[in-house]
């Protein structure tokens, strides 16, 4: 991500692996204008979809551009409105008592003040009872949301949503399959609890379709799913214009992807439902020279140029696709006895 102030791409050092970036993206970009807007426009003309790859490329381009200009990436996206972002935590054990204990510990340490529960595998009555018990235990001290991950039919969702609302849940994420926009619209029109689109969103075009169909109260914005930082920013703009609330989502990225998301989210007017940028807190190995700063239930944005972070060289080297492969020697088993 560091380099001389150049506007041309240099050739990659390797192209052995048949990957999207090596085989399709690199040939398009090598020798082209490296300014982010120009490079991404060319990429969109030549490559359809592949949103994760486009997001990775734009993240690197914006980091390099920010460092060349001496400004944070958020300034390249219109300027930050927030210096810190609220971050929720997911309670995923499925055990009610264990989830309550985990939430109580987070609250006591002032680490998180909102919690999301993954549900949908069990009969919906059991899931609702599980969620209701947790919300009763936490009371007004914490917001409780649920992510159904497309597990319900529309008929089941119509029965479950009022029950979740009565339990005190304030957000239900993608309750039915992502392809069922009309069903999402009917659930949203029930008005008993906020309904959020997640898997149904794949950039500005899908967001526009959902907004026109009144098919969500809330949009989960994910830079990788949207196809990059600028696409995520456009998606947020569509939501704001349509009166749809925003939520900063995650694909459970590490420190680099998380802070790239944070730069985008810092530039939107309001994140009514906060963010779930807790991916780095799950890692067992730190990938950054200086860890991201979490405090009082929030992620604090860095102020240095570019993304404002630096990877740990040795950690990144260990993850390189062109690193020498370790040779495994298989020794014959010795007879016992």
């Amino acid at each position: 991500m560091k380099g001389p102030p150049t506007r041309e791409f240099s050739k990659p050092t390797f192209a052995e692996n048949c990957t999207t970036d090596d085989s399709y993206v690199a040939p398009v970009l090598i020798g082209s204008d490296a300014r982010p807007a120009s490079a991404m426009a060319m990429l969109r003309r030549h490559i359809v979809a592949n949103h994760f790859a486009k997001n990775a490329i734009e993240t690197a381009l914006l980091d390099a551009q920010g460092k060349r200009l001496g400004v944070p990436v958020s300034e390249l996206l219109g300027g930050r409105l927030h210096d810190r972002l609220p971050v929720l935590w997911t309670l995923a054990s499925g055990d009610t008592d264990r989830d309550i204990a985990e939430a109580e510990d987070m609250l006591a340490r002032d680490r998180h003040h909102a919690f999301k529960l993954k549900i949908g595998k069990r009969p919906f009555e059991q899931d609702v009872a599980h969620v209701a018990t947790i919300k009763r235990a936490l009371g007004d001290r914490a917001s409780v949301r649920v992510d159904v991950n497309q597990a319900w039919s529309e008929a089941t969702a119509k029965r479950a949503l009022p029950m979740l609302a009565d339990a005190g849940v304030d957000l239900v994420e993608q309750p039915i399959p992502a392809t069922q926009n009309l069903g999402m619209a009917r659930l949203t029109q029930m008005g008993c609890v906020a309904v959020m689109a997640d898997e149904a969103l794949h950039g500005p075009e899908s967001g526009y379709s959902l907004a026109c169909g009144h098919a969500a109260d809330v949009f989960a914005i994910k830079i990788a799913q949207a196809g990059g930082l600028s696409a995520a920013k456009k998606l947020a703009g569509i939501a704001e214009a349509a009166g749809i609330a925003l939520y900063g989502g995650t694909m459970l990225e590490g420190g680099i992807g998380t802070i790239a998301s944070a730069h985008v989210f810092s530039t939107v007017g309001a994140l009514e439902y906060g963010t779930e940028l807790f991916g780095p807190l799950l890692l067992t190995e730190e990938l950054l020279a200086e860890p991201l700063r979490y405090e009082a239930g929030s992620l604090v944005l860095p102020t240095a140029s570019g993304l404002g972070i630096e990877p740990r060289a040795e950690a990144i080297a260990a993850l390189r696709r062109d690193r020498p492969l370790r040779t495994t020697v298989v020794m014959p088993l010795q007879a016992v006895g």
Side-chain angles (χ1 to χ4, degrees), residues 271-287:
L271 285 162
E272 291 93 331
Y273 289 90
T275 79
E276 58 180 36
L277 297 179
F278 60 82
L281 298 174
L282 301 175
L283 299 181
T284 58
E285 180 181 2
E286 180 55 60
L287 301 181

Side-chain angles (χ1 to χ4, degrees), residues 51-288:
H51 286 180
F52 280 58
K54 289 175 181 175
N55 173 62
I57 295 297
E58 188 174 29
T59 297
L61 290 172
L62 287 168
D63 181 55
Q65 181 81 333
K67 287 175 178 174
R68 282 195 293 268
L69 298 177
V71 297
V73 165
S74 56
E75 297 306 304
L76 302 178
L77 299 171
R80 71 177 57 172
L81 299 173
H82 316 285
D83 291 319
R84 56 180 60 215
L85 301 168
V87 178
L88 64 67
W89 185 252
T90 294
L91 303 172
S93 77
D95 180 277
T96 305
D97 291 337
R98 182 176 169 186
D99 283 348
I100 290 172
E102 186 176 359
E104 290 286 7
D105 176 63
M106 296 291 183
L107 289 170
R109 291 192 284 140
D110 196 26
R111 181 166 149 175
H112 300 281
H113 308 111
F115 301 95
K116 184 167 80 172
L117 297 163
K118 296 281 189 176
I119 63 173
K121 287 188 176 181
R122 298 178 289 199
F124 81 90
E125 297 92 344
Q126 292 181 24
D127 275 336
V128 170
H130 168 66
V131 173
T133 302
I134 292 172
K135 176 58 180 173
R136 248 189 333 267
L138 302 181
D140 294 334
R141 294 176 296 149
S143 167
V144 172
R145 301 92 179 270
V146 298
D147 182 4
V148 189
N149 278 125
Q150 313 178 70
W152 290 339
S153 67
E154 183 180 344
T156 297
K158 284 180 175 177
R159 296 178 62 190
L161 262 58
M163 297 168 66
L164 290 169
D166 289 342
V169 170
D170 59 17
L171 183 66
V172 178
E173 181 176 344
Q174 200 69 53
I176 62 176
T179 55
Q180 298 177 7
N181 285 359
L182 290 176
M184 284 285 286
R186 288 187 286 267
L187 296 177
T188 300
Q189 288 161 16
M190 289 173 63
C192 56
V193 62
V195 175
M196 181 164 73
D198 176 17
E199 287 88 352
L201 289 167
H202 297 281
E205 295 80 8
S206 59
Y208 179 74
S209 178
L210 286 167
C212 288
H214 306 285
D217 297 299
V218 187
F219 278 3
I221 309 294
K222 297 179 177 179
I223 63 172
Q225 195 165 276
L229 288 74
S230 57
K233 176 83 172 178
K234 290 177 182 177
L235 180 57
I238 290 169
E240 290 176 315
I244 295 171
L246 294 175
Y247 174 78
T250 183
M251 300 302 294
L252 293 180
E253 297 97 336
I256 296 173
T258 293
I259 208 62
S261 297
H263 277 281
V264 176
F265 301 157
S266 75
T267 68
V268 302
L271 285 162
E272 291 93 331
Y273 289 90
T275 79
E276 58 180 36
L277 297 179
F278 60 82
L281 298 174
L282 301 175
L283 299 181
T284 58
E285 180 181 2
E286 180 55 60
L287 301 181
L288 302 181

Side-chain angles (χ1 to χ4, degrees), residues 7-84:
R7 287 189 177 179
E8 289 193 353
F9 289 93
S10 57
K11 291 186 178 181
T13 57
F14 67 97
E16 296 86 2
N17 291 350
C18 185
T19 65
T20 297
D21 285 345
D22 294 339
S23 300
Y24 302 104
V25 175
V28 171
L29 293 182
I30 291 172
S32 70
D33 189 335
R35 289 174 296 182
S38 176
M40 294 307 296
M42 178 175 289
L43 209 55
R44 286 189 291 271
R45 285 197 301 271
H46 287 82
I47 297 177
V48 175
N50 287 286
H51 286 180
F52 280 58
K54 289 175 181 175
N55 173 62
I57 295 297
E58 188 174 29
T59 297
L61 290 172
L62 287 168
D63 181 55
Q65 181 81 333
K67 287 175 178 174
R68 282 195 293 268
L69 298 177
V71 297
V73 165
S74 56
E75 297 306 304
L76 302 178
L77 299 171
R80 71 177 57 172
L81 299 173
H82 316 285
D83 291 319
R84 56 180 60 215

